[in-house]
Amino acid sequence: MAGYKVEICGVNTAKLPLLTNDEKETLFQRILDGDQEAREQYIKGNLRLVLSVIQRFSNSSENIDDLFQIGCIGLIKAIDHFDVTQNVKFSTYAVPMIMGEIRRYLRDNNTIRVSRSLRDTAYKAIYAREGILRRTAKEPTLMEIAQEIGVSKEEVTCALDAIQTPVSLYEPIYTDGGDPLYVMDQISDKKNLEENWVEDISLREAMERLPQRERNIIDMRFFEGKTQTEVADEIHISQAQVSRLEKNALRMMKNYLS
């Protein structure tokens, strides 16, 4: 997603109004009386909620303007369905509504096709979760969600897994200011281990030319299928150091083999 900017969808986010609690109560009472102007003011006064939510989706490839518009739809739905008699802050009610709207948009625009029945089950589960969360003010268990929509917890798990957005193997998940840790660095290969490498004598010769520590790292990473984090724990250095040493070792081996 494009980085945060001051103007989104023609709205100068640096100049958004901030309503006091008294102003919110007064405006909402006018909204209940059918005052459309008050409704517009209330929407504008709560756009900061939308901004705070869309920043949680900063890793998304979607355009920030599109997410802002979708978030505004969630905000409007929250305003239209908010029950002032429940003694709940509007922001507490609105944030899950905004997030839910954005997540539905991202799922519907997913390039991977998911069956209609799975998608319907997943949507019901999400709505059920939001409903239970509003009623009880605590995160529901998988079993509670399953009971709410009348299916097994296995069906809920399968449906929710099916609509997850795919993550690139090259997605950075951590950095300490040095080399980033990618998703692929955390994946262990438990099947294709030494049998696919050991027959290559020249590769072993290249490894013999490495310093002992680098040789151990290459052995654990590519022969034993360990992640960089597992290697770091075993030899008592940071993951960033493992990443740098691994890259240097592979570069040395490549030079030798070429």
Side-chain angles (χ1 to χ4, degrees), residues 28 31-32 39 42-43 46 49-50 70-84 89-99 101 104 134:
F28 212 91
I31 292 172
L32 296 176
R39 187 169 180 269
Y42 201 85
I43 292 171
N46 283 280
L49 282 179
V50 178
I70 300 300
C72 287
I73 293 174
L75 172 63
I76 292 170
K77 287 183 178 180
I79 293 172
D80 291 343
H81 294 89
F82 184 55
D83 185 353
V84 294
K89 288 179 62 177
F90 176 74
S91 59
T92 303
Y93 176 78
V95 167
M97 292 281 283
I98 297 168
M99 291 189 68
E101 199 68 30
R104 282 188 286 276
R134 287 196 297 272

Coordinates of all heavy atoms in Angstrom, one line a residue, residues 28 31-32 39 42-43 46 49-50 70-84 89-99 101 104 134:
F28 N -25.3 13.2 17.5 CA -26.0 11.9 17.3 C -27.5 12.0 17.6 O -28.3 11.3 17.0 CB -25.3 10.8 18.2 CG -25.4 9.5 17.5 CD1 -24.4 9.0 16.7 CD2 -26.5 8.7 17.7 CE1 -24.5 7.8 16.1 CE2 -26.6 7.4 17.1 CZ -25.6 7.0 16.3
I31 N -28.9 13.3 14.6 CA -29.0 12.2 13.6 C -30.2 11.4 13.8 O -30.9 11.0 12.8 CB -27.7 11.4 13.6 CG1 -26.5 12.2 13.2 CG2 -27.9 10.1 12.7 CD1 -25.2 11.5 13.4
L32 N -30.5 11.0 15.0 CA -31.7 10.2 15.3 C -33.0 10.9 15.0 O -34.0 10.3 14.7 CB -31.7 9.8 16.8 CG -30.5 8.9 17.3 CD1 -30.6 8.7 18.8 CD2 -30.5 7.6 16.6
R39 N -25.5 14.4 10.4 CA -24.9 13.1 10.0 C -23.6 13.3 9.3 O -22.6 12.6 9.5 CB -25.9 12.3 9.1 CG -25.4 10.9 8.8 CD -26.6 10.2 8.1 NE -26.3 8.8 7.7 CZ -25.8 8.4 6.6 NH1 -25.6 9.4 5.6 NH2 -25.6 7.2 6.3
Y42 N -20.9 14.3 11.7 CA -20.5 13.2 12.5 C -19.5 12.3 11.7 O -18.6 11.8 12.3 CB -21.7 12.4 13.0 CG -21.5 11.6 14.2 CD1 -21.6 12.1 15.5 CD2 -21.1 10.2 14.1 CE1 -21.3 11.4 16.6 CE2 -20.9 9.5 15.2 CZ -21.0 10.1 16.5 OH -20.7 9.3 17.6
I43 N -19.8 12.1 10.5 CA -18.9 11.3 9.6 C -17.6 12.0 9.5 O -16.5 11.3 9.8 CB -19.5 11.1 8.2 CG1 -20.8 10.2 8.3 CG2 -18.5 10.5 7.3 CD1 -21.6 10.2 7.0
N46 N -15.4 11.7 12.5 CA -14.9 10.4 12.9 C -14.0 9.8 11.8 O -13.6 8.6 11.9 CB -16.0 9.5 13.2 CG -16.7 9.7 14.6 OD1 -16.1 9.3 15.6 ND2 -17.7 10.5 14.6
L49 N -10.9 7.8 12.8 CA -11.0 6.4 13.1 C -10.6 5.6 11.9 O -9.9 4.6 12.0 CB -12.4 6.1 13.5 CG -12.8 6.4 15.0 CD1 -14.3 6.0 15.2 CD2 -11.9 5.7 16.0
V50 N -11.1 6.0 10.7 CA -10.8 5.3 9.5 C -9.3 5.3 9.2 O -8.7 4.3 8.8 CB -11.6 5.9 8.3 CG1 -11.3 5.2 7.0 CG2 -13.1 5.9 8.5
I70 N -13.4 2.5 1.4 CA -14.1 1.3 2.0 C -14.2 1.5 3.5 O -15.3 1.1 4.0 CB -13.3 0.0 1.7 CG1 -13.1 -0.2 0.2 CG2 -13.9 -1.2 2.3 CD1 -14.5 -0.4 -0.6
G71 N -13.2 2.0 4.1 CA -13.3 2.3 5.5 C -14.4 3.3 5.9 O -15.1 3.1 6.9
C72 N -14.6 4.2 5.0 CA -15.7 5.2 5.2 C -17.1 4.5 5.1 O -18.0 4.9 5.9 CB -15.6 6.3 4.2 SG -14.2 7.5 4.5
I73 N -17.2 3.5 4.2 CA -18.4 2.8 4.2 C -18.7 2.1 5.5 O -19.8 2.1 6.0 CB -18.4 1.8 3.0 CG1 -18.3 2.5 1.7 CG2 -19.6 0.8 3.1 CD1 -18.1 1.6 0.5
G74 N -17.6 1.5 6.0 CA -17.8 0.8 7.4 C -18.2 1.8 8.4 O -19.0 1.5 9.3
L75 N -17.6 3.0 8.4 CA -17.9 4.1 9.4 C -19.4 4.5 9.2 O -20.1 4.6 10.3 CB -17.0 5.3 9.1 CG -17.4 6.6 9.9 CD1 -17.2 6.3 11.4 CD2 -16.5 7.7 9.5
I76 N -19.9 4.6 8.0 CA -21.3 5.0 7.8 C -22.2 3.9 8.3 O -23.2 4.2 8.9 CB -21.5 5.3 6.3 CG1 -20.8 6.6 5.9 CG2 -23.0 5.5 6.0 CD1 -20.7 6.8 4.4
K77 N -21.9 2.7 8.0 CA -22.7 1.6 8.5 C -22.7 1.6 10.1 O -23.8 1.3 10.7 CB -22.1 0.2 8.0 CG -22.4 0.0 6.6 CD -21.9 -1.4 6.2 CE -22.2 -1.7 4.7 NZ -21.7 -3.1 4.3
A78 N -21.6 1.9 10.7 CA -21.5 1.9 12.1 C -22.4 3.0 12.7 O -23.1 2.8 13.7 CB -20.1 2.1 12.6
I79 N -22.4 4.2 12.0 CA -23.3 5.3 12.5 C -24.7 4.9 12.3 O -25.6 5.2 13.2 CB -23.0 6.6 11.6 CG1 -21.6 7.1 12.0 CG2 -24.0 7.6 11.9 CD1 -21.1 8.2 11.1
D80 N -25.1 4.2 11.2 CA -26.5 3.9 11.0 C -27.0 2.8 11.9 O -28.2 2.7 12.1 CB -26.6 3.4 9.5 CG -26.4 4.6 8.5 OD1 -26.5 5.7 8.9 OD2 -26.2 4.3 7.3
H81 N -26.1 2.0 12.5 CA -26.5 0.9 13.3 C -26.2 1.1 14.8 O -26.5 0.2 15.6 CB -25.9 -0.4 12.8 CG -26.4 -0.9 11.4 ND1 -25.8 -0.5 10.3 CD2 -27.5 -1.6 11.1 CE1 -26.5 -1.0 9.2 NE2 -27.5 -1.7 9.7
F82 N -25.6 2.2 15.1 CA -25.1 2.4 16.5 C -26.3 2.6 17.4 O -27.2 3.3 17.2 CB -24.2 3.6 16.6 CG -23.6 3.8 18.0 CD1 -22.9 2.8 18.6 CD2 -23.8 5.0 18.6 CE1 -22.4 3.0 19.9 CE2 -23.2 5.2 19.9 CZ -22.5 4.2 20.5
D83 N -26.3 1.8 18.6 CA -27.4 1.9 19.5 C -26.9 2.6 20.8 O -26.1 2.1 21.5 CB -27.8 0.5 19.9 CG -29.1 0.5 20.8 OD1 -29.5 1.6 21.3 OD2 -29.6 -0.6 21.1
V84 N -27.3 3.9 21.0 CA -26.8 4.7 22.1 C -27.3 4.1 23.4 O -26.7 4.5 24.5 CB -27.3 6.2 21.9 CG1 -26.7 6.8 20.7 CG2 -28.8 6.2 21.9
K89 N -18.9 3.1 23.9 CA -18.4 4.2 23.1 C -18.5 4.0 21.6 O -18.4 2.8 21.2 CB -16.9 4.4 23.5 CG -16.6 5.0 24.8 CD -15.1 5.1 25.1 CE -14.5 6.1 24.1 NZ -13.0 6.3 24.4
F90 N -18.8 5.0 20.9 CA -19.0 4.8 19.4 C -17.7 4.2 18.8 O -17.8 3.3 17.9 CB -19.3 6.2 18.7 CG -19.4 6.0 17.2 CD1 -20.5 5.4 16.7 CD2 -18.4 6.5 16.4 CE1 -20.6 5.3 15.3 CE2 -18.5 6.4 15.1 CZ -19.6 5.8 14.5
S91 N -16.5 4.7 19.2 CA -15.3 4.2 18.6 C -15.1 2.7 18.8 O -14.6 2.0 18.0 CB -14.1 5.0 19.1 OG -14.0 4.8 20.5
T92 N -15.5 2.2 20.0 CA -15.4 0.8 20.3 C -16.3 0.0 19.4 O -15.9 -1.1 19.0 CB -15.9 0.6 21.8 OG1 -15.1 1.3 22.7 CG2 -15.8 -0.9 22.2
Y93 N -17.4 0.5 19.0 CA -18.4 -0.2 18.1 C -17.9 0.0 16.7 O -18.0 -1.0 15.9 CB -19.8 0.4 18.3 CG -20.8 -0.1 17.3 CD1 -21.4 -1.4 17.5 CD2 -21.2 0.6 16.2 CE1 -22.3 -1.9 16.7 CE2 -22.1 0.1 15.3 CZ -22.7 -1.2 15.6 OH -23.6 -1.7 14.7
A94 N -17.4 1.2 16.3 CA -17.1 1.5 14.9 C -15.8 0.8 14.4 O -15.8 0.4 13.2 CB -17.0 3.0 14.7
V95 N -14.8 0.7 15.2 CA -13.5 0.2 14.7 C -13.7 -1.2 14.1 O -13.2 -1.5 13.0 CB -12.4 0.3 15.8 CG1 -11.2 -0.5 15.4 CG2 -12.0 1.7 16.0
P96 N -14.3 -2.2 14.9 CA -14.5 -3.5 14.3 C -15.3 -3.5 13.0 O -15.1 -4.3 12.1 CB -15.2 -4.3 15.4 CG -14.9 -3.5 16.6 CD -14.8 -2.1 16.2
M97 N -16.3 -2.6 12.9 CA -17.1 -2.4 11.7 C -16.3 -2.0 10.5 O -16.4 -2.5 9.4 CB -18.3 -1.4 11.9 CG -19.3 -1.9 12.9 SD -20.5 -3.1 12.2 CE -21.5 -2.0 11.3
I98 N -15.4 -1.0 10.8 CA -14.5 -0.5 9.7 C -13.5 -1.5 9.2 O -13.3 -1.8 8.1 CB -13.8 0.8 10.2 CG1 -14.8 1.9 10.5 CG2 -12.8 1.3 9.1 CD1 -14.2 3.1 11.3
M99 N -12.9 -2.2 10.2 CA -12.0 -3.3 9.9 C -12.6 -4.4 9.1 O -12.1 -4.9 8.2 CB -11.3 -3.8 11.2 CG -10.4 -2.8 11.8 SD -9.5 -3.6 13.2 CE -8.4 -4.7 12.3
E101 N -15.2 -4.2 7.2 CA -15.6 -3.8 5.8 C -14.3 -3.9 4.9 O -14.4 -4.3 3.8 CB -16.1 -2.4 5.9 CG -16.9 -2.0 4.6 CD -18.2 -2.7 4.5 OE1 -18.8 -3.1 5.5 OE2 -18.6 -2.9 3.3
R104 N -13.4 -7.6 4.2 CA -14.3 -8.1 3.2 C -13.9 -7.7 1.8 O -13.9 -8.5 0.9 CB -15.7 -7.8 3.6 CG -16.3 -8.6 4.7 CD -17.8 -8.4 4.8 NE -18.1 -7.1 5.4 CZ -18.1 -6.9 6.7 NH1 -17.9 -7.9 7.6 NH2 -18.4 -5.7 7.2
R134 N -19.1 -7.6 20.4 CA -19.8 -6.5 20.8 C -20.7 -6.8 22.1 O -20.8 -5.9 23.0 CB -20.7 -6.0 19.7 CG -20.0 -5.3 18.6 CD -21.0 -4.5 17.7 NE -22.0 -5.4 17.1 CZ -21.8 -6.0 15.9 NH1 -20.6 -5.8 15.2 NH2 -22.7 -6.7 15.3

